[in-house]
Every structure is written in structure tokens, then in C-alpha cells.
């Protein structure tokens, strides 16, 4: 078999057969296709009557009539039922085309063309189905030939790309898509045609012909074959997925925005520092939200300027010259060759409109978009830089609690998607979250600075000085969050060149602990100046501590009614008392008084860690002072311990933050402290630094107070000490001893004054005191004179009457001395006065008013 037409011809599907009828009405010729259609070979068919052979019996008479008419020269076309041999007597239906013909002898015959109606019906059904799918489909169908030109397109495809369906025949992909997308589709068509591998969901982007809107299509491609299996082209199913793409993009944008907000919640506000919070905002925004960003905060906010609520709002602070002063506190860029931030203004930037440098103070022009955003509190669009790379900028005011604290600018460069309405909402939310954190940081910093001022004002300024002692001190806050605490130390000068040293620790942190510390420190100073014994100081301080935090001043007994009967506390009073008890402050404290003449130190301890001492050539040790109960507990007396310290000994007082932490038990910390203190002697300041650098002081769990002192003692030549009998001539003897000692010390300028005042004090001791009289002169930074006796009556300064011959001695002492006073001793009292050492300038003379005040 050979053929010149390609396989897959229509005749291959409709099964056309032929045979001829001779003049006698019998089959004369029988084709092979007829044999296949009727199931009868030519041997069986030739010479037979076709009516008798194939037609049913009930139709044969009509069949013979038709054959006769055909042989008479008539054409006939019709449907003829026939029996199908070999198929169990089944009937078929054939469409027969009968054409009269002539034999070589001029006899009439007929040529019959037969088509199986079943094959025709199948073809019609297939065509109808194909037309329904291709023509009525809501999707765009297109068939490309082997030359990749459009062979056929349905109406849906034509609706998208314009014109009628037939208008697209012969077009190529270049007629529909931009060059880059057309090349990509052509390469895909070629690959599908060559390999037969289908392609699904090929994404194509471009405007529809004659339009400018950016469209998105999804295309499925597969190779099409003829009935004989020969590739005849590539079919494509195209779907416009622009809406789906927009929805997916919006969903992705929503997810991105939600992720950004979640990230902002986690990352913004971890610090209470204003600049750090601004940088945290930009770390979230760049590059996840924009390409460039900058934050400007009001200068007054950064400098701690006090302002009423809402007064940061620019409406109260703008002037005709522009916005209030702002400082550029942060900027960020995701573009390598970009400026630090976008140019902010109301129009295209000029050559001098460079962005503010980081840390610089600037103003936005009054008419600029940024200034308008600050005034209105609303987001403003900043025009893009036509000459540069910035496409669009959002100027977003940072609003917290109806207060504008600054401005953040978000910029996107050319090539990025411009900001949309959803982006404006996200930018506002990001700025608002950062603004709240910044405002909280501002409020915290303000209160924190106040607390620090309070606490630092209660600590000794600089390095304290004391007679017979070299002193060095350190105070370390636990960390920036707990910088305000209850640790304190103090150095208090006492009469007789003695020195009180105190270290304490209020349990707790924060402003309330600092306030309690301040009250206790003030109380310690007041009690120390009364020259009480250390145990008495702590007992009185315990009463003060028990009253801290109580609005009633620490009263613990119920009052009596005005009629003298018992008054039951009201419910409000009961609640107040419960609140008072819940605010009781506890504190530990060690109080030590050092006498440089005897080099003896008296300690009293209220639940504090023991002092440490290092004597030359010996290891450090802890002084065993009965700890007692913490201040505020009450009920237990405090004990004293007196220790004599050797020359150059190192005495250390400290708080528990130095030796205790979660990772280090107290015993180990105390052992480490003793090990650090034991070692070669060094300068006192160096010793403080050595202790802090060697021990673990960076745990940040508690404050640390460290007070160290090197024992020097007053040299023997700086002390004059005499005992005088109780007789009148001791007054003259006291003057002689004082004069001789002052001349030996080269204090000639103080001789007259000292003689006069010594005479007054010794005379009072003879007149009002008891027992022997002791005179002592001490020379250090000042001159101190002390007169001791066994009497318990304390001297009292009074104004003498005009007629009195005496009673003016203490007034004279008060006028001529720098300070004077009296204190109790274990065996009586001591009256003292202090004179400043001469500095070469003439001594000031008493005025007339001062002299007359004694009369």
C-alpha cells in the first residue's frame, strides 16, 4: 500500500468503501475497504445480488426496485440498512452514493460509494465536543502550528487579545508579549514540540495588545498529534491570573506586614535608651519594609527639657522659620551606593539639600512635607527625587499618647514597588510602636535621673578626709536597670579628730530603696553628731527604720479618744496599718568610730557583713562583731567591740554585692575577699581598684559599696595630754601648758585665744565638774582642745543678765572658736573647742556687735 497524502486523512476515519454492480444487477467488483466494512471477501461477494446478500428480508422488494431504477440511469443517495456478516446478524447502517455508469459495450451499470454511518456519527460527535470545549470554554485556547504561528484560537482568547477568533490565525508570540517574555514562550513551545513533554503553569507577564495595564497569565502547553501519531502543533490553555496574582501579592504583603509587626513587637523597646530604640525601629524596617530610613527626635526631648503633656506636639513649637529643632539619631540604608537617607522636603531637592548627618541638629523648612507631618500628626508623602534614585518617601510622625516626639522617614528607591495605602498603615503602626517605647524611655530616663540625683546627693562627694586615716571609696550600681539602689556609705567627722565610718544596705532596689537609704543616712549623721556610742546609734537608727514607709511616722500604738476611753481603729485605719506593715524597710548596717590618738576602733553591727582588716605582715581577717538583727526588726540590743589597730593596717567595710551572687555562696565570696586583701601593700586607690577588678563584680545582681581606710594614727608629737588636780591653781597651770605646747608647734598666732578658752573650760570644770581634770591638745588639720572631768552635767550655753558677774564663758568660746561642744564619756564628760590653723592671713577681730552680744 502506498499513498501520497499524509497519514491521518479524513478518509482514514470515515471508512469509505466502493463496489460496482453490473448490467445484470449483480456485484461485479468488490474493493478491499468493502470487504472490511461488510466482513465479506471479494470471492464471496462478486456475482451475488447485493440486495439479497446484505439487506434484511422486509426491505428486499424495495431494494430490487431501487437497483432497477439505478440501472435505468438514475442517481440515488440514501441510508441503507445491512446485515453485518460475522457480527451475529447485527444490522448496520450505511450511507450509499450510487452513480450510473456504462460498460465498454455500452451497457448500463452502477458504481456504489459506501460510508459507515457509525463512523460519521462518531466524527460528528467528536467535532461537536471539540467545538464545545474549544469554542465555549471560559479559558483561552490557542493552537500553534509546527512553525509556531497561531492555527486556531477560540473566542475567549480573542476577547483578551482583541478582534475575532479568525483574526489571530498566522500571528506569532511576538504579537502578544514583550520581547523578553515572547522569547521565553517561543523557547518553551519549541521544547514542547520537540520533546512532547507538557508544561504546566508557565507564568507570563505583559500588557495586553493596545493596553498598558500589567497582566499575568498562566499557560499550560502540550503537543498535539494527528490520528497517525504525527505532531501537528502545540496546544495552549491560557488563563488570566492577574486578579489571583494581585490577591496573592496582597496576601503576601499582609503576611509580610504581620511578620514585620511581630518582629517590631519583639525587637523594638528592648532598651530604655532613646537612640537605641530608634535604631531598633530601623533594624526592623530596613530592608524588610523600605530601602532607606531615618529617625529625627526633638532636641528638647533628648536634652531632658521638662515639658507639659502634649507640648512636644509641633503645633506648640513651630515657628515661621521652620520646625522645632530635631536631632538625627539614626539612619539606615539597604542600598550600597545610596546616601544615608532620603532628602526630606516639599519638592525636588536642590544642590544644597543634603540629608542631615547622624547626630546633627536641624530644622525642617516650614512648608516641607516633613514639617507638615509634624504639625498635623498625619503621614505625608514626600515627592521623589527626579534626578536621583529615591522613588517615594513617607514622612511619618512618631505619636505617643497624643504627643509627637519625632519623625521617621521611610524611602523606597527606583525599581522598588511604590508605597501603597496598606504600606501607609504599616508605617504608621511601626512609628507609633517606636514612639511609645521612646516616650516610655524618656519618662524612665527622667525619673531615673531624678533618682540618681537623689542617691548621688546622699553619697559622700569626692574622697572623704579624716584625721589619722587615708580613705578611698567606690560605689558600683548593679546594672543600668537597677542603678538606683539602697547601698550607702558615709564618713563623718566627730569631735576630737575622731571619725565615724558607716556602710549600709537597704533591702530592695529602686527609688523607694534609695529614699529609705537617704532617710537612714541622714539619721546616722544626726545621731553621730550627738556623739553617741555606736551601739546607741544603731538602736536609735532601728527605731527610725521601723517607721520608714509609714504615713503615721512609725507609731504602733492605738490612740485614745478625746474622752479618755479606748478608741477602736476604723476599717480604713486597719487597712492603712496593713499597708504600713507591708512597707516596712529592713536594712543592714555596720557603724565604726575610730580614735586616731589611741588607734582604737569601736564597732557595732546590725545584721551586716563583718569588717575585714589586714595588718602589716599578717593575712587578712574578719573582725568578729556580733551581727545583731537588721535595722527595722527591733527587739534586740546591739553590742560593741573595740579593736586596737596597728599602724598602716587596712580596714575594709563593704556590702554583700561584693562577695555574694547566685553563682558564688557567701562563704566563698568572703574567702575570696580575704585572699585579695592579703598581699603586697599598695596605694589605697589602687587597692580599691584591685579588689573590684579581681572579684566577680559584674554579675549585676546587687549594688556594691566599698569603703577602705589606711590606719595612720596621730603621731605622739601631735598630741599634748595632761592631768590636773582639782584646785584653783590648775587654771594657771593649764594656760602655761597650752602656751608651751602651741609654741612648740609653731602656732604662736593661736596662743592668746587658746589660753583664754582653755582658762574658761578648766574654770567651768572646777566649778561644775567632779574629779580630776584632763587637758588634751590635738594638732592635725585643725587644733582641738579637750577638757575632761568626771561630772555628768553637760554644759549649757545661756545669756547672762546685765548684772551677772559670770555666765559668759561659753558665749566667749562660741565666738572665738570654729566649733565647740560636749560629749559623754564612760567616766564623765568632755568639753571641747576647735580652732582653724593659721594660714598666714591676719586673724579676724570680733565686731562690736559680737562683743556686745555677751552683755
Amino acid at each position: 500500500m502506498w499513498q501520497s497524502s499524509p497519514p491521518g486523512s479524513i478518509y482514514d476515519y470515515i471508512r469509505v468503501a466502493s463496489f460496482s454492480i453490473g448490467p445484470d444487477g449483480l456485484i461485479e467488483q468488490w474493493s478491499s475497504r468493502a470487504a472490511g466494512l461488510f466482513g465479506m471477501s471479494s470471492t464471496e461477494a462478486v456475482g451475488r445480488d447485493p440486495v439479497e446478500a446484505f439487506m434484511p428480508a422486509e426491505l428486499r422488494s424495495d431494494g430490487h426496485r431501487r437497483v432497477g431504477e439505478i440501472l435505468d440511469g438514475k442517481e440515488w443517495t440514501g441510508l441503507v440498512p445491512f446485515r453485518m456478516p460475522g457480527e451475529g446478524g447485527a444490522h448496520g447502517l450505511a450511507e450509499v452514493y450510487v452513480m450510473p455508469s456504462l460498460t465498454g459495450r455500452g451497457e448500463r451499470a452502477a458504481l456504489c460509494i459506501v460510508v459507515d454511518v457509525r463512523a460519521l456519527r462518531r466524527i460528528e460527535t467528536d467535532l461537536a465536543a471539540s467545538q464545545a470545549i474549544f469554542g465555549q470554554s471560559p479559558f483561552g485556547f490557542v493552537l500553534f502550528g509546527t512553525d509556531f504561528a497561531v492555527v486556531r484560537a477560540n473566542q475567549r482568547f480573542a476577547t483578551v487579545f482583541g478582534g475575532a477568533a479568525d483574526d489571530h490565525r498566522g500571528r506569532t508570540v511576538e504579537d502578544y508579549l514583550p520581547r523578553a517574555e515572547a522569547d521565553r514562550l517561543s523557547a518553551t513551545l519549541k521544547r514542547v514540540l520537540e520533546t512532547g513533554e507538557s508544561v504546566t503553569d508557565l507564568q507570563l507577564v505583559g500588557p495586553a495588545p493596545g493596553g498598558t495595564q500589567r497582566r499575568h497569565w498562566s499557560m499550560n502547553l502540550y503537543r498535539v498529534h494527528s490520528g497517525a501519531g504525527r505532531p501537528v502543533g502545540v496546544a495552549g490553555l491560557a488563563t488570566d491570573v492577574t486578579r489571583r496574582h494581585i490577591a496573592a501579592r496582597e496576601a503576601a504583603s499582609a503576611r509580610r506586614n504581620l511578620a514585620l509587626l511581630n518582629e517590631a513587637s519583639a525587637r523594638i523597646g528592648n532598651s530604655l535608651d532613646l537612640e537605641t530604640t530608634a535604631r531598633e525601629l530601623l533594624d526592623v524596617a530596613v530592608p524588610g519594609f523600605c530601602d532607606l530610613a531615618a529617625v529625627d527626635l526633638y532636641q528638647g526631648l533628648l536634652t531632658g527639657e521638662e515639658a507639659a503633656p502634649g507640648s512636644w506636639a509641633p503645633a506648640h513649637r513651630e515657628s515661621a522659620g521652620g520646625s522645632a529643632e530635631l536631632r538625627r539619631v539614626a539612619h539606615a540604608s539597604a542600598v550600597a551606593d545610596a546616601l544615608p537617607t532620603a532628602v526630606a522636603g516639599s519638592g525636588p531637592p536642590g544642590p544644597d539639600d543634603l540629608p542631615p548627618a547622624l547626630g546633627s541638629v536641624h530644622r525642617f523648612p516650614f512648608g516641607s512635607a516633613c514639617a507638615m507631618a509634624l504639625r498635623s500628626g498625619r503621614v505625608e508623602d514626600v515627592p521623589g527625587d527626579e534626578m536621583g534614585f529615591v522613588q517615594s518617601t513617607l514622612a511619618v510622625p512618631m505619636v505617643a499618647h497624643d504627643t509627637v516626639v519625632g519623625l521617621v522617614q521611610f524611602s523606597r528607591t527606583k525599581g522598588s514597588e511604590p508605597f501603597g495605602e496598606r504600606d501607609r498603615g504599616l508605617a504608621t503602626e511601626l512609628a507609633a510602636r517606636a514612639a511609645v517605647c521612646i516616650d516610655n524611655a524618656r519618662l524612665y530616663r527622667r525619673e531615673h535621673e531624678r533618682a540618681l540625683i537623689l542617691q548621688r546627693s546622699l553619697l559622700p562627694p569626692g574622697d572623704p578626709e579624716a584625721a589619722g586615716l587615708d580613705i578611698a571609696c567606690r560605689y558600683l550600681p548593679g546594672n543600668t536597670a537597677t542603678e538606683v539602689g539602697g547601698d550607702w556609705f558615709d564618713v563623718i567627722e566627730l569631735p576630737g579628730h575622731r571619725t565615724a565610718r558607716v556602710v549600709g544596705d537597704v533591702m530592695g532596689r529602686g527609688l523607694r530603696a534609695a529614699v529609705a537609704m537617704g532617710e537612714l543616712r541622714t539619721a546616722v549623721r544626726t545621731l553621730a553628731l550627738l556623739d553617741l556610742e555606736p551601739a546607741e546609734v544603731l538602736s536609735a537608727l532601728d527605731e527610725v527604720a521601723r517607721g520608714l514607709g509609714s504615713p503615721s511616722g512609725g507609731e504602733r500604738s492605738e490612740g485614745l479618744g478625746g474622752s479618755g476611753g479606748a478608741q477602736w481603729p476604723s476599717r480604713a485605719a486597719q487597712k492603712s496599718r496593713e499597708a504600713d506593715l507591708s512597707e516596712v524597710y529592713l536594712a543592714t548596717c555596720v557603724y565604726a568610730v575610730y580614735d586616731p590618738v589611741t588607734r582604737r576602733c569601736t564597732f557595732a553591727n546590725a545584721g551586716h557583713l563583718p569588717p575585714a582588716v589586714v595588718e602589716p605582715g599578717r593575712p587578712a581577717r574578719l573582725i568578729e562583731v556580733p551581727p545583731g538583727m537588721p535595722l527595722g526588726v527591733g527587739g534586740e540590743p546591739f553590742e560593741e567591740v573595740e579593736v586596737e589597730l596597728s599602724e598602716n593596717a587596712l580596714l575594709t567595710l563593704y556590702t554583700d554585692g561584693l562577695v555574694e551572687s547566685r553563682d558564688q555562696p557567701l562563704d566563698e565570696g568572703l574567702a575570696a575577699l580575704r585572699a585579695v586583701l592579703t598581699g603586697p601593700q599598695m596605694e589605697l586607690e589602687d587597692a580599691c581598684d584591685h579588689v573590684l577588678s579581681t572579684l566577680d563584680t559584674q554579675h549585676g545582681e546587687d549594688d556594691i559599696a566599698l569603703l577602705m581606710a589606711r590606719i595612720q594614727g596621730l603621731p605622739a608629737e601631735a598630741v599634748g595630754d595632761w592631768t590636773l588636780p582639782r584646785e584653783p591653781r590648775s587654771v594657771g597651770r593649764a594656760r602655761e601648758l597650752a602656751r608651751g605646747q602651741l609654741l612648740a608647734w609653731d602656732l604662736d598666732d593661736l596662743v592668746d585665744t587658746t589660753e583664754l578658752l582653755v582658762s574658761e573650760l578648766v574654770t567651768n570644770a572646777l566649778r561644775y565638774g567632779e574629779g580630776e581634770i584632763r587637758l588634751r591638745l590635738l594638732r592635725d588639720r585643725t587644733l582641738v582642745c579637750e577638757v575632761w572631768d568626771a561630772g555628768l552635767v553637760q554644759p549649757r550655753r545661756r545669756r547672762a543678765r546685765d548684772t551677772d558677774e559670770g555666765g559668759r564663758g561659753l558665749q566667749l568660746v562660741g565666738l572665738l572658736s570654729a566649733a565647740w561642744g560636749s560629749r559623754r564619756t564612760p567616766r564623765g564628760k568632755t568639753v571641747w573647742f576647735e580652732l582653724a590653723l593659721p594660714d598666714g592671713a591676719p586673724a579676724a577681730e570680733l565686731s562690736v556687735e559680737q562683743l556686745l552680744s555677751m552683755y
Side-chain angles (χ1 to χ4, degrees):
M1 177 179 179
W2 60 272
Q3 58 186 21
S4 60
S5 62
S9 170
I10 187 63
Y11 298 105
D12 294 334
Y13 295 97
I14 62 177
R15 299 175 67 182
V16 178
S18 64
F19 63 92
S20 64
I21 301 175
D24 56 359
L26 301 178
I27 297 174
E28 190 176 69
Q29 291 180 334
W30 188 255
S31 68
S32 298
R33 285 184 179 266
L37 175 62
F38 295 103
M40 184 179 296
S41 66
S42 60
T43 305
E44 296 174 314
V46 174
R48 295 188 63 180
D49 185 345
V51 174
E52 296 294 332
F54 304 111
M55 294 185 67
E58 64 272 13
L59 297 177
R60 288 175 184 172
S61 61
D62 186 61
H64 285 298
R65 182 175 59 82
R66 295 289 185 186
V67 171
E69 292 176 353
I70 293 169
L71 293 177
D72 288 338
K74 293 183 178 179
E75 291 186 4
W76 181 79
T77 300
L79 297 177
V80 178
F82 65 91
R83 292 195 308 270
M84 300 181 66
E87 295 188 12
H91 288 73
L93 185 63
E95 187 170 353
V96 180
Y97 301 88
V98 182
M99 295 171 288
S101 63
L102 294 175
T103 66
R105 296 188 297 269
E107 297 176 320
R108 294 182 178 182
L111 176 63
C112 300
I113 304 299
V114 183
V115 177
D116 189 348
V117 174
R118 292 179 302 172
L120 290 176
R121 295 295 181 264
R122 282 197 298 270
I123 293 174
E124 290 175 354
T125 302
D126 292 344
L127 287 175
S130 174
Q131 182 62 30
I133 295 174
F134 198 82
Q136 301 173 21
S137 171
F139 307 107
F141 269 98
V142 61
L143 178 63
F144 295 96
T146 54
D147 58 352
F148 307 126
V150 175
V151 175
R152 186 179 180 187
N154 69 350
Q155 188 57 43
R156 178 59 182 169
F157 184 87
T159 300
V160 175
F161 292 99
D166 291 340
D167 296 339
H168 293 272
R169 295 181 185 274
R171 292 184 181 179
T172 62
V173 293
E174 286 80 5
D175 298 319
Y176 302 103
L177 296 172
R179 181 60 181 271
E181 291 291 89
D183 291 344
R184 191 161 65 92
L185 178 57
S186 297
T188 306
L189 289 172
K190 183 177 181 181
R191 186 174 69 252
V192 172
L193 184 63
E194 292 176 351
T195 65
E197 296 179 357
S198 301
V199 172
T200 59
D201 197 22
L202 175 64
Q203 296 292 319
L204 300 173
V205 181
T212 58
Q213 184 181 5
R214 187 182 179 91
R215 310 292 294 178
H216 295 261
W217 294 282
S218 173
M219 199 162 193
N220 298 329
L221 300 173
Y222 57 93
R223 190 169 67 182
V224 179
H225 304 84
S226 66
R230 178 177 60 86
V232 295
V234 177
L237 176 63
T239 306
D240 189 336
V241 294
T242 304
R243 292 184 179 179
R244 187 176 71 187
H245 183 81
I246 293 174
R249 184 175 59 188
E250 291 181 351
S253 176
R255 288 193 297 271
R256 181 199 65 186
N257 293 351
L258 181 60
L260 276 175
L261 290 177
N262 290 336
E263 184 180 5
S265 299
R267 297 180 60 182
I268 299 177
N270 293 323
S271 169
L272 290 173
D273 179 75
L274 301 178
E275 291 83 354
T276 301
T277 302
R279 288 193 296 271
E280 290 170 346
L281 168 62
L282 300 193
D283 289 342
V284 173
V286 179
F289 177 67
C290 62
D291 302 315
L292 307 168
V295 177
D296 298 287
L297 298 180
Y298 278 114
Q299 176 69 357
L301 180 146
L302 293 168
T303 57
E305 177 182 332
E306 292 292 339
S311 61
W312 289 118
H316 301 282
R317 303 179 60 83
E318 298 293 333
S319 64
S323 68
E325 287 188 341
L326 298 106
R327 186 193 304 172
R328 179 61 53 89
V329 296
H331 63 215
S333 171
V335 184
D337 57 349
L339 292 174
T341 183
V343 176
S346 59
D352 298 329
D353 294 333
L354 293 177
L358 184 64
S360 65
V361 178
H362 65 96
R363 295 175 184 266
F364 290 116
F366 184 82
S368 66
C370 292
M372 288 189 289
L374 289 170
R375 287 195 300 272
S376 65
R378 296 190 299 270
V379 180
E380 296 287 342
D381 291 312
V382 181
D385 180 7
E386 297 179 359
M387 303 300 295
F389 53 87
V390 176
Q391 176 174 243
S392 62
T393 298
L394 295 178
V396 187
M398 305 179 73
V399 183
H401 312 300
D402 297 328
T403 298
V404 178
V405 299
L407 183 81
V408 57
Q409 297 176 69
F410 300 108
S411 301
R412 288 181 179 173
T413 58
K414 293 182 178 179
S416 298
E417 185 176 354
F419 290 113
E421 193 60 33
R422 189 189 300 272
D423 295 321
R424 292 169 65 91
L426 177 61
T428 302
E429 180 66 22
L430 289 174
R433 294 195 180 197
V436 170
C437 295
I438 286 175
D439 194 51
N440 289 340
R442 176 184 67 85
L443 295 174
Y444 169 80
R445 186 173 68 176
R446 184 187 66 183
E447 299 302 322
H448 191 58
E449 287 177 352
R450 291 176 178 177
L452 286 180
I453 292 173
L454 169 64
Q455 184 177 47
R456 289 168 181 171
S457 66
L458 297 176
L459 295 174
D463 294 329
E465 296 182 355
L469 290 175
D470 288 336
I471 297 177
C473 54
R474 296 288 187 275
Y475 175 80
L476 296 180
N479 53 45
T480 55
T482 61
E483 191 169 350
V484 180
D487 288 14
W488 91 92
F489 63 90
D490 207 349
V491 177
I492 308 168
E493 293 187 57
L494 300 178
H497 287 315
R498 294 172 304 128
T499 303
R501 301 168 68 241
V502 57
V503 170
D505 182 3
V506 177
M507 298 182 185
R509 295 190 182 93
L511 182 59
R512 294 174 61 195
V515 171
M517 175 270 287
E519 294 190 42
L520 291 176
R521 179 181 179 272
T522 302
V524 169
R525 276 192 161 267
T526 302
L527 295 170
L529 294 178
L530 294 177
D531 217 349
L532 301 177
E533 296 296 324
E536 294 176 326
V537 170
L538 292 187
S539 295
L541 198 61
D542 178 64
E543 291 294 328
V544 174
R546 282 189 284 167
L548 291 181
S550 172
S552 60
E555 296 180 3
R556 284 169 170 75
S557 60
E558 301 293 341
L560 298 177
S563 60
Q567 180 179 356
W568 294 98
S570 65
R571 183 175 181 84
Q574 182 68 23
K575 289 184 178 180
S576 175
R577 181 177 181 182
E578 291 175 358
D580 294 346
L581 292 176
S582 67
E583 294 179 355
V584 169
Y585 288 92
L586 298 179
T588 63
C589 178
V590 61
Y591 184 85
V593 175
Y594 171 68
D595 188 342
V597 178
T598 61
R599 292 201 312 274
R600 300 187 69 84
C601 191
T602 304
F603 298 91
N605 191 350
H608 203 79
L609 297 175
V613 63
V614 184
E615 296 181 308
R618 301 182 64 182
R621 62 185 176 87
L622 301 179
I623 300 176
E624 296 182 0
V625 181
M629 300 298 291
L631 302 176
V633 176
E636 294 292 333
F638 298 98
E639 300 182 34
E640 295 179 358
V641 171
E642 188 176 62
V643 177
E644 183 175 350
L645 302 173
S646 61
E647 190 76 10
N648 290 323
L650 181 63
L651 181 62
T652 302
L653 305 181
Y654 52 93
T655 55
D656 56 356
L658 182 68
V659 295
E660 186 177 22
S661 68
R662 291 189 182 94
D663 301 326
Q664 178 175 262
L666 180 59
D667 292 342
E668 294 182 8
L670 291 175
L673 175 62
R674 291 196 302 270
V676 171
L677 293 175
T678 301
Q681 184 171 316
M682 60 181 69
E683 293 293 331
L684 200 56
E685 293 292 335
D686 295 338
C688 274
D689 295 335
H690 177 64
V691 169
L692 295 178
S693 62
T694 304
L695 298 180
D696 178 20
T697 59
Q698 305 299 320
H699 50 75
E701 296 175 11
D702 201 357
D703 304 336
I704 295 174
L706 177 64
L707 183 60
M708 303 182 75
R710 184 83 66 190
I711 304 299
Q712 300 296 337
L714 288 180
E717 59 272 16
V719 179
D721 196 350
W722 306 277
T723 301
L724 303 174
R726 189 173 186 77
E727 54 187 33
R729 63 179 182 178
S730 294
V731 176
R733 177 61 179 165
R735 287 197 296 268
E736 293 175 2
L737 294 172
R739 170 182 288 273
Q741 187 64 68
L742 292 181
L743 293 176
W745 286 341
D746 294 328
L747 298 177
D748 302 25
D749 293 342
L750 300 182
V751 170
D752 293 340
T753 302
T754 304
E755 278 190 300
L756 176 59
L757 299 185
V758 166
S759 177
E760 290 293 335
L761 294 187
V762 173
T763 299
N764 285 344
L766 287 173
R767 181 176 297 178
Y768 304 109
E770 299 177 7
E772 290 183 329
I773 299 171
R774 182 181 176 187
L775 173 65
R776 189 167 75 167
L777 295 179
L778 306 176
R779 181 180 185 272
D780 191 67
R781 291 176 292 119
T782 61
L783 176 67
V784 174
C785 176
E786 299 176 332
V787 176
W788 306 34
D789 69 77
L792 298 177
V793 179
Q794 297 290 322
R796 182 173 61 87
R797 183 176 178 178
R798 63 183 179 84
R799 182 178 297 276
R801 294 189 297 269
D802 295 344
T803 57
D804 290 344
E805 296 181 359
R808 299 178 178 85
L810 292 181
Q811 285 184 278
L812 187 64
V813 172
L815 287 173
L816 298 179
S817 65
W820 78 279
S822 66
R823 68 177 184 273
R824 290 182 300 166
T825 64
R827 291 181 296 276
K829 67 177 181 297
T830 299
V831 183
W832 57 272
F833 67 83
E834 183 176 344
L835 296 175
L837 298 181
D839 55 2
E845 296 183 358
L846 294 177
S847 65
V848 176
E849 289 77 8
Q850 289 176 321
L851 292 173
L852 290 178
S853 66
M854 294 186 294
Y855 296 94

